[in-house]
Amino acid sequence: MPETTPHPMAKSVLLVEDDRDIRESLIELLDGEGYLTIAVENGRDALAHLARIRPCLIIADYLMPDMNGTDLVKAVQGQETLRDIPILILTAASKHMMGGDVTVPVLTKPVTIAALLAVLREHCGIRSAA
């Protein structure tokens, strides 16, 4: 399968997902929709990337090693230069498990493609490549 080159005007999305299979599926979906996907495995790596990039959206898993989704949200929102970047949490965790700490939109896994694309279009404004 040939490697695709993102459109030169593609907007970047930072994907933070520790599950390799889910991460690869989401990369394929996002890239296919015209986004430049930067994928990392945990919140600490996400913060390191945010020092160099400015995505139109951060999509983060909730349950991750090193730094969970809530901690990542707090770290991003705690930095003046980053706090306006929208964040979406994707999780298989129940609302009870997450408690009341999540202050950003949440989509439950398995997420529908339509729901995810709606959030991307809202924040990034690229129409579907299909």
Side-chain angles (χ1 to χ4, degrees), residues 7-129:
H7 185 279
M9 297 301 288
K11 294 187 179 184
S12 63
V13 174
L14 179 58
L15 174 63
V16 190
E17 171 62 64
D18 62 317
D19 183 289
R20 181 180 176 188
D21 292 337
I22 294 172
R23 188 173 59 247
E24 289 178 1
S25 294
L26 288 172
I27 290 168
E28 185 176 331
L29 172 68
L30 297 172
D31 287 354
E33 290 293 321
Y35 298 97
L36 173 61
T37 309
I38 297 110
V40 297
E41 295 181 21
N42 61 61
R44 293 196 194 290
D45 289 347
L47 291 175
H49 274 75
L50 287 168
R52 299 183 309 273
I53 64 164
R54 180 138 188 105
C56 60
L57 179 67
I58 299 168
I59 300 173
D61 188 12
Y62 177 75
L63 297 171
M64 296 182 290
D66 299 325
M67 176 183 277
N68 70 25
T70 300
D71 292 340
L72 176 60
V73 169
K74 288 176 182 175
V76 169
Q77 291 178 343
Q79 295 185 42
E80 187 174 333
T81 58
L82 302 177
R83 69 174 49 124
D84 63 330
I85 300 173
I87 303 171
L88 171 68
I89 298 289
L90 292 181
T91 186
S94 68
K95 291 195 186 255
H96 174 38
M97 179 186 261
M98 291 188 299
D101 289 341
V102 178
T103 60
V104 298
V106 175
L107 289 178
T108 304
K109 294 176 186 174
V111 64
T112 66
I113 292 173
L116 183 57
L117 292 180
V119 173
L120 283 159
R121 287 186 196 108
E122 176 185 347
H123 294 292
C124 299
I126 295 177
R127 66 174 176 36
S128 175

